[in-house]
Amino acid sequence: MQTPINHFKRRLYEQQVQIGFWLALADANIAEICANQGFDWLLIDAEHGPQTLSGIVGQLRAIESSQSCSALVRAPGHNPVAIKQILDLGAQTIMVPMVETAEQARAIVAASLYPPAGIRSVGGSRAARWGGYPAYIQESNAQICIIVQIETGLAIDNLEEIAAVDGIDALFLGPADLAATEGLLGPDHFDDLFVLTGQTLARIVATGKAAGILSRDERLVQQYLDGGARLVANGIDSFSLARAVGDNLRDWRTRISQRAAD
């Protein structure tokens, strides 16, 4: 069998807008539910979520079962061993947080690709379906998609150099960490953050690389869509569950109170 095509990467270079959703709860059932809602992609968050390697495999299988939703995995950091393990589990698209320099970006690319393009070591893995994809070593480099996150002022300073690194497919802005590192946390600083993220988006788009963002704030999401972003995540499973459950409870509390008053 041929190594599967990375449809997420293909759509990325066709400049299609792809709407995604964040999986922080590390649960395969939640991944399966979300994958069948029509999202273009779901991100398994191994930076902040309570992920294990076996748990990531379960979520990858759940997402793959939808046959229409692509799975992304955010690595916990820059460690090449962690990147290799995630790819060996079968992820074709990885996101790496807190990338601040072109040197870091080049190291991430090297960790993600087999020689001679990189330094990824060879071993029997789920990614190759344990030999079921006999040409995986030769074919996989073309299917690997690498997204780096721009989350600090230093990363913004080096943005064009990072984007120019061969093998980097997209730059994904992290507005929460950017707000934290730039002293813009809280609603009082929203206007300044809005300006900063808009300016950064324009610079990413100008490099020719795909731009992305995660935000639960509709204003930022709409700003990015209007500005040319092609990867947009508009929610996180944990926050969405909390909001839905809370809204349901508040609705029933209101009904009970109104009925008692009548």
Side-chain angles (χ1 to χ4, degrees), residues 159-164 170-171 200-211:
L159 190 151
E160 283 76 16
E161 289 79 8
I162 294 170
L171 281 69
T200 305
L201 165 67
R203 286 174 57 190
I204 296 173
V205 172
T207 69
K209 294 291 175 74

Side-chain angles (χ1 to χ4, degrees), residues 6 8-9 12-13 92-94 109 113 141-148 162-163 165-172 204 207-211 230-231:
N6 186 338
F8 172 87
K9 184 175 182 179
L12 193 70
Y13 281 92
Q92 289 184 306
T93 301
I94 63 167
V109 172
L113 302 179
N141 280 2
Q143 304 305 327
I144 298 299
C145 182
I146 303 170
I147 304 169
V148 295
I162 294 170
V165 172
D166 188 29
I168 298 300
D169 298 293
L171 281 69
F172 200 96
I204 296 173
T207 69
K209 294 291 175 74
R230 302 203 294 274
L231 305 176

Side-chain angles (χ1 to χ4, degrees), residues 11-22:
R11 293 192 298 264
L12 193 70
Y13 281 92
E14 291 174 352
Q15 301 190 19
Q16 297 183 33
V17 173
Q18 301 188 71
I19 303 298
F21 192 76
W22 230 250

Side-chain angles (χ1 to χ4, degrees), residues 5-134:
I5 294 171
N6 186 338
H7 295 289
F8 172 87
K9 184 175 182 179
R10 176 183 56 78
R11 293 192 298 264
L12 193 70
Y13 281 92
E14 291 174 352
Q15 301 190 19
Q16 297 183 33
V17 173
Q18 301 188 71
I19 303 298
F21 192 76
W22 230 250
L23 300 177
L25 292 175
D27 186 279
N29 291 311
I30 293 174
E32 184 175 20
I33 291 168
C34 293
N36 286 284
Q37 300 307 308
F39 286 107
D40 297 305
W41 56 274
L42 298 174
L43 181 132
I44 301 166
D45 187 2
E47 183 192 15
H48 291 297
Q51 304 288 352
T52 63
L53 293 178
S54 59
I56 291 173
V57 171
Q59 291 166 85
L60 287 171
R61 288 194 176 108
I63 296 169
E64 290 163 2
S65 71
S66 75
Q67 299 184 346
S68 60
C69 182
S70 295
L72 285 60
V73 180
R74 178 159 70 167
H78 298 198
N79 189 325
V81 174
I83 291 172
K84 172 183 63 179
Q85 289 178 313
I86 288 169
L87 293 173
D88 283 351
L89 294 178
Q92 289 184 306
T93 301
I94 63 167
M95 181 182 293
V96 182
M98 291 289 180
V99 177
E100 297 184 299
T101 68
E103 181 180 11
Q104 290 176 343
R106 282 191 288 270
I108 289 163
V109 172
S112 305
L113 302 179
Y114 287 117
I119 61 169
R120 181 182 172 191
S121 62
V122 177
S125 66
R126 179 180 183 268
R129 293 305 187 272
W130 301 280
Y133 304 144

